[in-house]
């Protein structure tokens, strides 16, 4: 159950009333103002009190706890990350959730065209309304999973406040301070607010907690964990095929130089523990500033504006660069670093390779260059948005609204701790660096192979919109007037990613390849919406209402061009205490600039090679496919075939992409059986076709489809896999040059289907006693989501459905429990409010039935939070404890998830304290 309240008014004699003065309001999911909050679509409302109860400065802390959401990027996203926070409704992806501020599109942060929730001033949020299900007919592209609309409150006077938050163990301290000044005219509808906020978050390292200090890996019997890590080690590991290296240390898993210059066979116990130096929670420093308001020019016109600016500094940190690939080593030039026995072994291998005359040997190298230092990304992101518009009433029943907005985001990124591939290769030939042992590279050698990469991305969004709304006529059957809204909108988006030459060429080994991305498009739209109240206050019909909406969009994209979206809904109340409702909608999402024009870049997904599993050796069909795709017959089923859990994949854009198309429907009921009790229950079903995604659903699924489903090496999916021609390892090595292991560029091949039910409840009980007043109130709010189905079909029409409801793992990603609940019990006694929150994630199972892991099941996870809020005069004090009982996250193997767990889903900080204060005058 949830902190959010259902989409109905605060408990009152008649819960359909939303305003005491009878004025109309605008509800998310519609452009038509109405006198109540009832809509055909279920809406969850998050209030300012919900943020206060969690001590939440960052918006994702509360919204990601909604049962309807799956964690997107958060403060715990270190690889990838960048200090941004995204919202992922229904688990359909942040790119399919439209974010609005004050009913209008907000600025996005990069070429993926997603909104960073950190750019919205949380302390000014009056409430957030979350509508799940397609809403493109109302708002246009991107509203496939739903819409979240943040409404900012107007300030009257001066408000100053701040907050401090720290974990029980002392790491990850967070501090925030804000100020806002507001003016309201007493004789008109003019008001203006200006604000500023500063926020700083210190890092938490994986090494700060024992549960994340080591990269845990399954033991041989899959009954527990061992301290594992990466096969790219600081001592250096070197290998060649069994045939070429017979009689040397360099066969199998290879030779390791645990002592400088002296090799021995590598064992899995030698793996490098990369975990401690990685960030568990990334540091950030952020400044927000802006202003918004309106000025009443005349009874017919009000000019309004919104101005916002954000500047943030964020670091991400990974262990030192692992140099891996096939390199040519000049034996004579490097002989001074090696023992006589190793020189002899290398010359033996060179003779078998036919390179003895050149005194060179070609080896697979895996060397962690710890001497260069950790890999770090320093992101400096600046964004601003300027909006101006005019609105007003043309008559008692007709109004208009027109505005233009311009938003621009620029991110400058500096990458330290990287290594030049070309410089490293040259150094091995010349012998200018010693990589045969731990800490053997001199400061001069570090300088010779190190590079600092600098990249930029710039995004611009322009929106021009004009609309009118008003009343048409009345059926004279006791209901409100028939109302209409119509208008037109123009949007233009343009983004570019500008990597430096080292990153673009692939010469930067540590942080991946990034190809230049540049492009944009525009769309012209016309839309209309109709609200038809038919009957009210008649026998057997307390209220009957229909709604409908349609939108035509014309894109400048050749593959998209014209699209239609539409929707309709119905609400029927036989009597006041019950409302039956339902809606159907057709929605679209145009591809992002990154999906269309993204330059090809390197990715490092965590996967399991089916050919390295012992079962592959005994399954004749799988073994045959493994051999046909390049695995030596003798190595099928050998775990050494996959020395690392990550492989190199090639991703990128496709300018011929079409739009995604979805069909969704909901139906349910709103129940008000007694005063102050409100219950909603809704079933939802969303189907997305022509899904834009990496080919065949990404690297993990490409491997699964090829070897376990299609089982035909000549199939196009299997052709996306590139193996080393000599060893069969998925590293695509050819002619001494490491290419990409798997190709996963974007395509319109997939399908997404999700369905389930939402239930919400709120109830309050007035009490005739209190410690600080003569009366008090006990209230409960909660909601739950049951996900019946979440299916991904990487290639529509192919029987390769990935079922993720109730699953977690490499194929499904973040855990998606079938049942999620979130609730809060509050006691309000005069100026004091005490509340206890409960968040529960249901059981989830590993998503790979073909592989046995130590952790096949994560049991239900419960967190409790406590808060106390006191309001005295113009002062508001709050304090609380999140994760009251210091619940640990579930621990799983690093080959299933990073950080030994899912830090954006389960709590990795432990018991966390906060205190805040604000004053108004």
């Amino acid at each position: 159950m949830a902190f959010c309240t259902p989409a109905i008014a605060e408990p009152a004699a008649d819960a359909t009333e939303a305003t005491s003065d009878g004025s109309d309001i605008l509800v998310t999911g519609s452009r038509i103002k109405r006198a109540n909050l009832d809509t055909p679509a279920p809406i969850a409302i998050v209030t300012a009190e919900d943020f206060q109860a969690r001590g939440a400065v960052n918006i994702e802390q509360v919204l990601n706890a909604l049962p309807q959401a799956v964690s997107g990027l958060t403060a715990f996203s270190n690889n990838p990350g960048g200090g941004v926070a995204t919202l992922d409704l229904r688990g359909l992806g942040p790119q399919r959730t439209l974010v609005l501020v004050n009913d209008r599109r907000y600025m996005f942060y990069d070429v993926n065209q997603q909104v960073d929730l950190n750019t919205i001033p949380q302390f000014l949020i009056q409430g957030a309304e979350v509508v799940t299900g397609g809403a493109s007919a109302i708002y246009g592209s991107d509203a496939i999973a739903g819409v979240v609309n943040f409404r900012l409150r107007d300030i009257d006077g001066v408000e100053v406040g701040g907050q401090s938050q720290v974990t029980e163990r002392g790491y990850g301290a967070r501090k925030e301070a804000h100020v806002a000044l507001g003016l309201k005219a007493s004789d008109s509808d003019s008001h203006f607010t200006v604000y500023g906020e500063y926020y700083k978050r210190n890092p938490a390292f994986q090494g700060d907690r024992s549960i994340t200090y080591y990269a845990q890996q399954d033991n041989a019997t899959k009954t527990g964990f061992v301290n594992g890590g990466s096969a790219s080690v600081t001592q250096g590991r070197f290998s060649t095929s069994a045939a070429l290296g017979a009689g040397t240390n360099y066969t199998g898993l290879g030779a390791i130089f645990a002592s400088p210059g002296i090799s021995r066979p590598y064992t899995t116990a030698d793996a490098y523990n990369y975990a401690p130096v990685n960030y568990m929670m990334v540091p950030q420093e952020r400044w927000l500033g802006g202003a918004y308001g309106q000025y009443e020019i005349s009874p017919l016109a009000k000019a309004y504006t919104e101005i916002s600016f954000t500047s943030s500094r964020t670091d991400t940190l990974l262990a030192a660069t692992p140099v891996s690939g096939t390199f040519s080593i000049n034996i004579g030039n490097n002989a001074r670093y090696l023992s006589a026995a190793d020189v002899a072994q290398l010359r033996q291998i060179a003779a078998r390779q036919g390179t003895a005359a050149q005194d060179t040997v070609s080896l697979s190298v895996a060397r962690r260059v710890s001497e260069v230092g950790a890999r770090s990304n320093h992101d400096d992101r600046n964004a601003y948005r300027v909006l101006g518009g005019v609105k007003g009433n043309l008559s008692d029943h007709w109004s208009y609204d027109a505005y233009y907005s311009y938003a621009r985001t620029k991110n400058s990124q500096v990458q330290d701790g990287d290594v030049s591939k070309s410089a490293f290769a040259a150094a091995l030939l010349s012998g200018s660096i010693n990589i045969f042992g731990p800490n053997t590279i001199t400061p001069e050698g570090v300088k010779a192979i190190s590079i600092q990469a600098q990249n930029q991305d710039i995004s611009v969004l322009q929106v021009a919109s004009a609309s009118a709304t008003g009343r048409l006529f009345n059926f004279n059957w006791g209901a409100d007037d028939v109302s209409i809204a119509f208008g037109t909108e123009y949007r233009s988006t343009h983004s570019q990613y500008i990597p430096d030459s080292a990153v673009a060429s692939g010469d930067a080994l540590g942080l991946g390849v990034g190809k230049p991305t540049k492009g944009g498009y525009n769309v012209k739209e016309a839309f209309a919406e109709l609200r038809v109240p038919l009957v009210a206050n008649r026998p057997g019909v307390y209220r009957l209402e229909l709604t409908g909406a349609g939108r035509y969009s014309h894109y400048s994209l050749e593959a998209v061009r014209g699209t239609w979206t539409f929707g309709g809904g119905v609400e029927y109340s036989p009597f006041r205490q019950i409302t039956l409702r339902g809606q159907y909608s057709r929605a679209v999402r145009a591809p992002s600039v990154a999906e269309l024009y993204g330059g090809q870049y390197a990715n490092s997904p965590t996967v399991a090679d089916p050919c390295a599993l012992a079962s592959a050796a005994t399954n004749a069909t799988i073994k045959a496919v493994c051999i046909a795709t390049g695995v030596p017959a003798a190595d099928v089923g050998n775990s050494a075939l996959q020395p690392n859990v990550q492989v190199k994949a090639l991703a990128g854009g496709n300018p011929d992409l079409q739009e995604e198309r979805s069909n969704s429907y909901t139906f349910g009921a709103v129940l008000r059986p007694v005063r102050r009790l409100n219950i909603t229950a809704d079933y939802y079903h969303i189907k997305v076709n022509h899904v834009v995604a990496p080919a065949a659903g990404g690297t993990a699924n490409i491997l699964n489809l090829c070897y376990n489903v299609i089982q035909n090496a000549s199939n196009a999916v299997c052709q996306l896999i590139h193996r080393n021609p000599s060893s069969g390892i998925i590293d695509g090595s050819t002619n001494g040059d490491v290419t990409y292991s798997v190709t996963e560029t974007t395509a319109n091949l997939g399908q997404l289907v999700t369905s389930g039910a939402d239930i919400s409840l709120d109830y309050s009980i007035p009490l005739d006693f209190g410690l600080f007043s003569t009366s008090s109130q006990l209230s409960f709010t909660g909601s739950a989501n049951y996900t019946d189905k979440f299916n991904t079909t990487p290639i529509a029409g192919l029987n390769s459905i990935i079922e993720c409801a109730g699953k977690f793992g490499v194929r499904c990603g973040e855990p998606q429990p079938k049942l999620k609940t979130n609730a809060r019990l509050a006691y309000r006694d005069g100026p004091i409010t005490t509340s206890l929150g409960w968040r529960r994630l249901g059981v989830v199972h590993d998503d790979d039935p073909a592989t046995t892991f130590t952790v096949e099941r994560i049991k239900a996870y419960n967190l409790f939070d406590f808060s106390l809020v006191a309001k005295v005069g113009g002062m508001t004090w709050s304090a609380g404890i999140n994760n009251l009982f210091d619940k640990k996250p579930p621990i799983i193997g690093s080959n299933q998830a990073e950080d030994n767990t899912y830090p954006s889903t389960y709590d990795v900080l432990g018991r966390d304290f906060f205190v805040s204060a604000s004053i108004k005058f």
Side-chain angles (χ1 to χ4, degrees):
M1 311 179 96
F3 287 141
C4 65
T5 60
I8 38 189
E10 293 298 317
D14 185 346
T16 64
E17 293 303 316
T19 56
S20 59
D21 60 1
S23 60
D24 289 345
I25 59 173
L26 192 62
V27 180
T28 301
S30 172
R31 292 179 180 269
I32 299 175
K33 292 185 176 181
R34 59 192 69 205
N36 58 60
L37 287 172
D38 288 319
T39 66
I43 302 177
I45 300 176
V46 182
T47 67
E49 288 74 18
D50 297 324
F51 290 98
Q52 194 174 55
R54 285 285 308 277
V57 174
N58 284 359
I59 291 172
E60 83 267 16
Q61 288 179 257
V62 172
L63 292 187
N64 279 338
L66 292 175
Q68 298 92 338
V70 173
S71 294
L73 293 176
T74 69
F76 304 97
S77 301
N78 183 51
N79 181 31
V84 300
T86 59
L87 179 62
D88 184 359
L89 290 178
R90 302 295 188 204
L92 293 174
Q95 70 273 31
R96 299 180 184 93
T97 299
L98 180 62
V99 176
L100 309 175
V101 174
N102 292 333
D103 303 297
R104 292 176 280 270
R105 286 177 180 259
Y106 208 55
M107 55 191 175
F108 48 80
Y109 69 87
D110 70 356
V111 293
N112 292 300
Q113 295 170 223
Q114 299 172 24
V115 173
D116 178 11
L117 300 180
N118 290 330
T119 60
I120 303 171
Q122 179 273 321
F123 76 97
L124 287 172
I125 293 176
Q126 180 179 351
E129 298 166 3
V130 181
V131 179
T132 55
S136 290
I138 304 298
Y139 297 111
S141 178
D142 305 337
I144 282 183
V147 178
V148 58
N149 183 24
F150 297 93
R151 299 191 188 276
L152 305 184
R153 58 191 173 94
D154 297 326
I155 299 294
D156 189 8
V158 178
E159 179 179 322
V160 180
Q163 177 167 304
S164 180
Q165 194 166 359
V166 68
T167 63
E168 182 179 89
R169 295 169 178 82
Y171 49 73
R174 287 134 285 162
K175 296 180 180 179
E176 183 266 354
H178 64 262
V179 60
L181 170 66
L183 301 172
K184 288 187 177 181
S186 58
D187 58 349
S188 69
D189 198 16
S190 301
H191 56 82
F192 192 75
T193 298
V194 61
Y195 65 90
E197 182 184 32
Y198 173 76
Y199 172 76
K200 184 175 183 180
R201 179 176 64 220
N202 291 338
F205 289 86
Q206 286 184 233
D208 288 333
R209 298 201 68 176
S210 60
I211 57 177
T212 54
Y213 187 89
Y214 289 99
Q216 302 278 30
Q217 292 181 348
D218 294 352
N219 61 21
T221 59
K222 312 297 182 182
T223 57
F225 297 115
V226 295
N227 295 333
S230 169
S232 294
V233 294
T234 58
Q235 304 95 323
R237 183 177 65 85
F238 305 82
S239 62
T240 188
S241 67
L244 295 174
T248 72
N249 291 335
Y250 295 83
T251 59
L253 296 178
I256 183 175
F257 286 84
S259 298
I262 303 174
S263 74
R264 63 167 172 80
Y266 174 88
T267 69
T268 55
D270 296 315
Y272 170 75
N273 181 26
Y274 52 81
V277 300
N278 288 1
Y279 284 144
M280 183 168 60
M281 181 172 70
V282 301
Q284 185 179 62
E285 192 171 22
R286 185 175 74 231
W287 295 263
L288 296 181
Y292 53 89
Q294 68 179 31
Y295 176 73
E296 185 173 359
I297 302 172
S298 73
L300 297 178
K302 299 171 187 176
Y304 62 92
T305 187
E306 295 177 4
I307 302 170
S308 57
F309 174 78
T310 304
S311 179
S312 66
R313 313 285 186 271
T314 305
D315 291 342
T316 58
L317 193 68
L318 298 173
T321 295
V323 176
S324 60
T326 302
F327 290 87
S328 294
I329 300 173
N330 185 284
I331 301 173
N333 292 342
N334 287 276
R336 64 184 185 276
Y337 308 133
L338 298 165
S339 68
D342 279 286
V343 170
Q345 291 182 59
L346 292 180
R347 293 196 189 281
Q348 181 180 345
I349 297 171
R352 291 170 180 164
Q353 290 179 340
T355 58
Q358 293 80 33
D359 202 24
T360 61
V361 62
S362 179
L363 293 177
S364 177
V365 178
R367 173 59 151 85
R368 182 82 53 168
V369 286
S370 57
E371 298 91 339
V372 175
R375 289 168 289 168
S376 61
N377 274 343
H378 310 280
D379 286 281
D380 187 345
R381 182 175 288 108
N382 296 289
Y384 68 87
R385 175 176 177 261
V386 179
L387 180 148
V390 61
K391 61 183 178 180
N393 295 321
L394 299 174
S395 68
D396 291 341
H397 302 302
W398 284 88
S399 63
Y400 69 94
D401 188 356
Y403 72 90
Y404 167 79
S405 69
Y406 179 92
R408 185 178 188 270
T409 302
K410 180 180 180 181
N411 182 49
S412 299
Q413 183 184 83
V414 177
Q415 299 175 343
D416 287 319
D418 217 329
V419 172
S420 166
K421 175 183 175 181
S422 58
F424 188 87
L428 289 183
L429 284 174
S430 66
S432 59
I433 62 169
N434 177 10
I435 64 171
F436 303 95
N439 301 313
T440 53
I441 303 178
T442 64
E444 292 77 16
V446 168
K447 184 177 181 180
I449 64 175
S450 299
I451 55 173
Q452 183 186 73
Q454 300 186 39
N455 316 297
Q456 287 187 348
D457 55 69
I458 302 171
S459 297
V460 174
L461 172 66
Q462 299 182 73
V463 181
S465 178
S467 62
T469 182
R471 302 179 184 179
L472 297 177
F473 57 88
N474 193 290
F475 285 105
N476 294 318
W477 295 333
D480 292 339
D481 294 339
V482 174
S483 301
I484 188 173
F486 58 90
T488 184
E489 185 166 296
Y490 170 85
R491 295 191 304 276
S492 172
T493 180
H494 187 277
S495 297
Q496 57 181 320
Y497 166 66
I498 311 169
D500 71 3
S501 58
V503 175
S505 66
D507 194 48
L509 287 173
L511 293 162
V513 180
K515 294 295 185 180
T517 296
K518 184 177 182 180
Y521 58 86
N522 62 70
V523 56
K524 305 177 182 70
E525 301 179 317
F527 57 85
E529 179 186 357
L530 199 63
R531 178 183 176 225
V532 185
L534 291 174
V535 184
N537 299 310
R538 295 291 191 268
V541 183
Y542 178 74
R543 186 168 67 95
L544 176 61
E545 182 174 305
L546 304 177
T547 58
R551 175 181 294 250
Y552 177 75
S553 306
H554 187 271
Y555 287 85
S556 60
L557 297 170
E558 188 67 33
V560 178
R561 288 304 186 190
T563 66
W564 282 97
T565 55
F566 48 86
V570 59
E571 295 176 88
Y572 168 58
S573 300
F575 41 86
R576 189 183 64 84
Q577 289 80 6
I578 182 170
T579 298
L580 305 177
R581 61 186 181 183
Q583 69 161 3
Y584 172 86
S585 63
R586 173 71 176 270
V588 300
R589 183 183 77 89
S592 69
V593 170
E595 292 165 334
L596 288 163
Y597 307 113
Q600 294 182 341
Y601 64 94
N603 195 11
S604 298
T606 299
V607 299
D609 182 358
C611 297
L613 301 176
S615 57
T618 58
N619 187 308
T621 303
I622 295 178
K623 183 175 182 178
V625 179
C626 291
I627 295 172
T629 55
V631 179
D635 290 333
V636 176
N638 185 353
S639 61
L641 191 64
Q642 187 178 9
N644 293 307
V645 296
Q646 290 181 316
V647 301
K648 292 185 176 181
L650 180 65
N654 178 0
D656 296 323
L657 291 174
Q658 296 178 327
E659 75 279 8
E660 296 180 343
R661 306 163 197 168
S662 76
N663 298 292
S664 64
Y665 60 86
T666 65
F667 59 84
V670 179
L671 307 176
R672 304 179 179 98
V674 297
R675 189 179 182 186
R676 295 182 299 274
L677 173 61
N678 303 293
I679 304 171
T680 69
D682 292 277
Y683 174 84
Y684 65 89
H685 184 278
I686 304 173
K687 182 178 182 180
V688 188
N689 294 312
H690 299 279
V691 168
V692 176
T699 295
N701 201 57
I702 288 172
L703 293 174
N704 178 64
L705 285 174
C706 177
Y707 295 104
N708 298 321
V709 179
I710 300 172
Q711 298 184 326
N712 181 352
S714 62
N715 184 273
V717 173
C718 293
Q719 296 299 309
L720 299 173
I721 303 167
H722 315 293
R723 292 183 179 272
N724 185 306
S726 61
S727 66
I729 294 174
I730 304 180
D731 68 4
S733 297
T734 55
N735 301 322
D737 182 31
V738 177
T739 57
Y740 297 98
S741 307
V742 179
T743 302
E744 52 174 38
T745 49
T746 54
N748 284 107
L749 298 177
Q751 184 183 86
L752 292 170
V753 178
T754 184
S755 62
D758 294 321
I759 300 174
S760 64
L761 179 150
D762 74 83
Y763 184 52
S764 62
I765 304 173
L767 305 172
D768 57 3
F769 62 85
L771 294 175
F772 303 99
S773 62
T774 57
S775 63
S776 58
Q777 179 178 278
L778 185 67
S779 63
F780 175 84
T781 59
S783 67
N785 168 258
Y786 178 80
T787 302
D788 174 63
K789 180 188 297 182
F790 190 98
N791 292 347
T792 301
T793 306
I795 302 178
L798 183 66
N799 186 22
S800 58
I801 297 175
I802 304 173
E803 298 181 355
C804 290
K807 303 291 182 62
F808 74 96
V810 173
R811 298 165 68 192
C812 294
E814 293 288 332
Q816 297 193 47
K818 285 203 168 187
L819 181 63
K820 293 187 290 185
T821 58
N822 201 326
R824 178 156 61 97
L825 181 67
Y827 177 66
R828 295 177 177 86
D829 181 7
I832 307 296
T833 299
T834 306
S835 68
L836 179 68
W838 171 45
R839 292 173 280 157
R840 185 180 191 274
L841 299 174
V843 174
V844 288
H845 298 266
D846 178 71
D847 59 14
D848 185 358
T851 307
T852 299
F853 296 101
T854 296
V855 176
E856 289 286 325
R857 176 182 181 271
I858 298 176
K859 64 182 181 180
Y861 186 76
N862 295 275
L863 287 177
F864 293 89
D865 309 314
F866 173 80
S867 69
L868 181 69
V869 179
K871 296 182 179 181
V872 182
M875 291 284 293
T876 300
W877 299 86
S878 65
I881 306 173
N882 291 323
N883 195 351
L884 182 63
F885 301 111
D886 198 28
K887 177 73 172 179
K888 291 182 179 179
I891 301 302
I892 59 178
S894 59
N895 54 345
Q896 292 169 282
E898 294 184 16
D899 301 347
N900 299 334
T901 188
Y902 290 93
S904 292
T905 297
Y906 301 108
D907 188 278
V908 293
L909 293 182
R911 190 177 288 116
D912 197 31
F913 301 89
F914 71 88
V915 60
S916 67
S918 65
I919 182 171
K920 297 179 182 179
F921 52 88

